[in-house]
Amino acid sequence: MDDVATDGSSTRTETTAAPAANAANAAGTASTVNPAKPRTTARRGRRVRMTGAERREQLLDIGRVLFAEKGFEGTSVEEIAATAGVSKPVVYEHFGGKEGLYAVVVDREMRQLLDMVTGALTAGHPRELLEQAAFALLDYIERYTDGFRILVRDSPVAQSTGTFASLISDIATQVEDILGMEFKNRGFDPKLAPLYAQALVGMVALTGQWWLDARRPQKSEVAAHLVNLAWHGLDGLEQRPRLVGHRRN
């Protein structure tokens, strides 16, 4: 009873302008129920409300990080939702599930890389074009590391959204046109341009995968060595290359 009297007198001191509230506090009801309401309201008031578009972007950013770190199979809808501070139905509402979220992430990264490479291939000397292509891929790896990690992973979802191999093929198609003109000017068969384009882009892409973790030597040096191998290899091309070993088929 002494504790109750003390609490009651304290409450009366803080709220002398509200006799009705004092009576409720003395009865014990306000001290056990009412104070909880403003605290809950305050917590909700501090929570940032997002528009649908903002929430979608948040989920995409979170998904990109988790997919890059754990892969598609190792990431769950529960983890995505918990990281975003929302319930699972919110993820389903925006993307229909983990597969839908992953597909959008992969599609965005593929378009980002393709745009960077094709945008870098401006007019210039063929060797400079090789440098531009190499720098574009290495720039993407450096700026969008999580995205590149996702692209080089295999996933069942990638079969419907495209794979890293299909992306490389798209980039090779851009290079193919450049090589075709160069081959024609040098008297080579332009029909072989697709083969050499795949070889060159594949070389740069695989080196990029290695550099993703190694990060040594520095980017400009990696680009210089890639172009050195590609350019001097092209510079010394034989019109009718032949095998020197015993095997012929």
Side-chain angles (χ1 to χ4, degrees):
M1 294 300 293
D2 292 340
D3 292 339
V4 173
T6 302
D7 293 343
S9 60
S10 174
T11 303
R12 283 193 296 272
T13 301
E14 296 173 359
T15 57
T16 52
N22 292 339
N25 288 338
T29 54
S31 62
T32 57
V33 178
N34 290 342
K37 292 183 178 179
R39 285 199 295 269
T40 302
T41 302
R43 284 199 299 271
R44 290 177 180 173
R46 288 193 298 268
R47 183 176 179 178
V48 178
R49 291 185 178 275
M50 295 185 179
T51 64
E54 290 172 338
R55 180 67 69 190
R56 181 180 174 85
E57 290 302 316
Q58 181 206 30
L59 292 172
L60 284 169
D61 289 340
I62 290 171
R64 183 183 297 105
V65 173
L66 292 176
F67 289 138
E69 179 184 350
K70 301 183 176 183
F72 175 77
E73 297 296 341
T75 302
S76 66
V77 174
E78 289 83 356
E79 186 173 12
I80 295 170
T83 305
V86 299
S87 60
K88 291 197 312 183
V90 174
V91 180
Y92 289 111
E93 177 185 351
H94 283 279
F95 300 100
K98 182 175 70 171
E99 293 80 3
L101 174 59
Y102 185 88
V104 175
V105 170
V106 169
D107 181 66
R108 282 192 172 192
E109 294 304 324
M110 290 181 70
R111 284 189 287 110
Q112 178 67 50
L113 176 53
L114 186 60
D115 289 346
M116 288 181 68
V117 173
T118 55
L121 298 177
T122 58
H125 190 274
R127 175 164 183 164
E128 187 177 0
L129 290 172
L130 288 174
E131 291 181 7
Q132 292 167 352
F135 264 120
L137 178 60
L138 295 174
D139 283 341
Y140 173 79
I141 294 172
E142 187 174 60
R143 298 176 192 172
Y144 304 96
T145 301
D146 285 343
F148 189 73
R149 289 189 187 280
I150 292 172
L151 291 181
V152 298
R153 288 179 182 269
D154 291 327
S155 164
V157 181
Q159 302 306 316
S160 61
T161 60
T163 62
F164 184 62
S166 67
L167 175 62
I168 293 303
S169 182
D170 289 341
I171 296 175
T173 300
Q174 306 294 324
V175 177
E176 176 185 323
D177 295 335
I178 299 170
L179 286 180
M181 291 185 293
E182 188 66 19
F183 275 26
K184 188 174 182 179
N185 292 336
R186 294 189 178 201
F188 291 97
D189 185 358
K191 293 180 180 179
L192 293 174
L195 185 156
Y196 282 94
Q198 291 285 343
L200 286 173
V201 174
M203 176 184 72
V204 175
L206 288 175
T207 303
Q209 285 185 254
W210 166 79
W211 188 70
L212 174 65
D213 294 315
R215 295 299 174 104
R216 290 183 181 181
Q218 62 181 4
K219 181 172 60 177
S220 59
E221 192 173 350
V222 173
H225 283 291
L226 283 169
V227 173
N228 182 44
L229 176 59
W231 179 252
H232 287 293
L234 290 174
D235 191 49
L237 283 181
E238 300 173 346
Q239 288 194 8
R240 295 182 179 277
R242 61 187 181 85
L243 301 173
V244 296
H246 295 295
R247 185 168 179 173
R248 291 293 178 270
N249 53 45

